[in-house]
Amino acid sequence: MFNALYFRTFITLVETGSFTRTARSLEMTQPGVSQHIRKLEEYLNKPLLRRQGRRFTLTEAGRRAYDYALRLFAEHEKFYHSLDDEAVHSGECWIASTASVGVMFYPFTLSYQQLYPALTINYTFDKSASIIHDMRDGLYDLGLVNELPQRGDPDLVFDLWHHEPMCLVVPADIHGDSFAELLALGFISDTNGAEYATRLLRSNYPNDFQLMSHIPTKGTVSEDSHVLDAVSRGLGFGIVSRPVLETSPWQRQVREIPLENPVYEEIYIVRRAEEDLPRRYQLLLDDYHDRRHNELYELQAPNTDT
């Protein structure tokens, strides 16, 4: 029968190198230590020690059993701390977000892990609809999405968390910003491109813009981060969130057109209705939000709390 106590005794024996010191460390008798090792060898059906009087060396099975035992107790400690909802710098986090959020938020979580090694971040990039579906199935504790379901969902709670400015970008060698020049370029779209383009163009070109169907589409890409690749090659204009622009390798090959009327991407926290998020999630979200809000401070903010 598996007994974790035998493995704990074995770890101590290997690290002290002595049955006597192991007995003293674990407040056991020396025959009790010997019995634990014998029981473990019987369970594994392999000799773990080569005994030479009072000294011993590890067999190959003994070395492997020691490595396994270390991993076993390390996983146990991680699991134990993950059950503590009040722990803010330890435990596991299961998060999913859209790419437009994750291009900046995910690197932030990695920096967080460097500061707090007892924290484990499990991160998935996906579309809003898929994240919402998987949240219902319990795959994640937290979702960050930029779309809401068309119908209410009694199993999930959606809270507005943050706004990010949307950016109108053209190839770097295009110096004008008229609607006619945008028409001549054509539009490079992504999954939510038409929706954001409609909002942005309607707000900033009200006398010219009518319908997106009047603007030629020069291509569509599933990931908004790759819109800028096409724009940098002179293939059209694009509309992306500011994190995508700020982290893009093509940001120097495109030009952002200043907007008189900013348009924002709304980002929502998704969680299961019957569960409260552990404190480690809330602290992570708050720290990122505060840092990002400070970075955007000089930009015109929306007229709602962020």
Side-chain angles (χ1 to χ4, degrees), residues 17-300:
S18 164
F19 281 84
T20 301
R21 286 193 290 270
T22 298
R24 187 181 304 121
S25 175
L26 299 178
E27 298 182 348
M28 298 173 59
T29 64
Q30 192 168 329
V33 173
S34 298
Q35 183 184 44
H36 279 194
I37 302 304
R38 186 173 65 255
K39 291 286 188 182
L40 184 59
E41 289 179 322
E42 290 174 358
Y43 170 71
L44 297 174
N45 197 29
K46 293 287 183 181
L48 303 178
L49 307 176
R50 296 188 188 94
R51 293 169 174 82
Q52 301 163 341
R54 294 186 177 182
R55 304 180 64 184
F56 65 86
T57 58
L58 294 179
T59 64
E60 175 62 23
R63 287 192 293 270
R64 294 172 64 182
Y66 176 68
D67 290 340
Y68 168 75
L70 290 180
R71 294 195 304 271
L72 175 70
F73 283 99
E75 284 296 319
H76 170 77
E77 287 298 312
K78 183 185 294 185
F79 170 72
Y80 177 80
H81 288 298
S82 73
L83 296 178
D84 183 5
D85 288 351
E86 296 302 308
V88 294
H89 295 142
S90 63
E92 289 195 277
C93 293
W94 295 86
I95 301 171
S97 83
T98 59
S100 64
V101 179
V103 290
M104 194 166 281
F105 183 59
Y106 176 59
F108 179 81
T109 67
L110 297 181
S111 299
Y112 222 72
Q113 280 188 273
Q114 290 178 299
L115 285 175
Y116 308 111
L119 193 66
T120 301
I121 305 291
N122 305 287
Y123 205 102
T124 299
F125 290 84
D126 212 333
K127 306 297 183 186
S128 290
S130 297
I131 293 172
I132 293 169
H133 177 272
D134 291 340
M135 284 290 300
R136 295 191 193 101
D137 293 341
L139 269 64
Y140 317 112
D141 293 329
L142 170 71
L144 298 174
V145 300
N146 55 12
E147 294 180 72
L148 295 177
Q150 294 182 349
R151 298 180 180 180
D153 192 321
D155 298 324
L156 300 175
V157 174
F158 297 83
D159 296 315
L160 182 60
W161 175 53
H162 183 51
H163 295 80
E164 283 288 351
M166 299 302 295
C167 304
L168 173 59
V169 291
V170 295
D173 58 356
I174 300 296
H175 301 294
D177 58 5
S178 70
F179 188 75
E181 287 170 297
L182 296 180
L183 275 177
L185 280 171
F187 181 49
I188 302 295
S189 185
D190 64 271
T191 304
N192 298 315
E195 175 191 347
Y196 287 121
T198 298
R199 289 169 52 192
L200 187 146
L201 296 175
R202 182 172 291 155
S203 296
N204 291 275
Y205 299 92
N207 297 324
D208 300 304
F209 177 76
Q210 295 180 8
L211 297 170
M212 282 304 298
S213 58
H214 295 174
I215 300 177
T217 297
K218 292 297 185 68
T220 302
V221 62
S222 61
E223 291 294 335
D224 50 3
S225 59
H226 290 283
V227 167
L228 297 181
D229 188 3
V231 174
S232 71
R233 298 168 188 258
L235 299 177
F237 74 91
I239 295 172
V240 298
S241 71
R242 183 160 297 282
V244 170
L245 178 59
E246 289 183 10
T247 59
S248 173
W250 300 290
Q251 60 180 296
R252 296 184 182 277
Q253 284 75 52
V254 301
R255 181 175 69 86
E256 180 184 0
I257 294 178
L259 300 176
E260 183 177 350
N261 299 303
V263 171
Y264 295 86
E265 176 185 51
E266 291 96 5
I267 302 168
Y268 296 87
I269 293 173
V270 188
R271 59 181 176 83
R272 285 182 290 279
E274 73 279 5
E275 298 179 11
D276 293 326
L277 284 175
R279 288 185 61 201
R280 57 183 172 273
Y281 286 97
Q282 198 57 57
L283 188 64
L284 179 67
L285 292 168
D286 290 347
D287 283 358
Y288 176 82
H289 181 277
D290 291 345
R291 191 206 68 171
R292 188 63 183 146
H293 183 74
N294 290 335
E295 291 174 349
L296 295 170
Y297 185 76
E298 294 183 358
L299 297 174
Q300 180 182 351

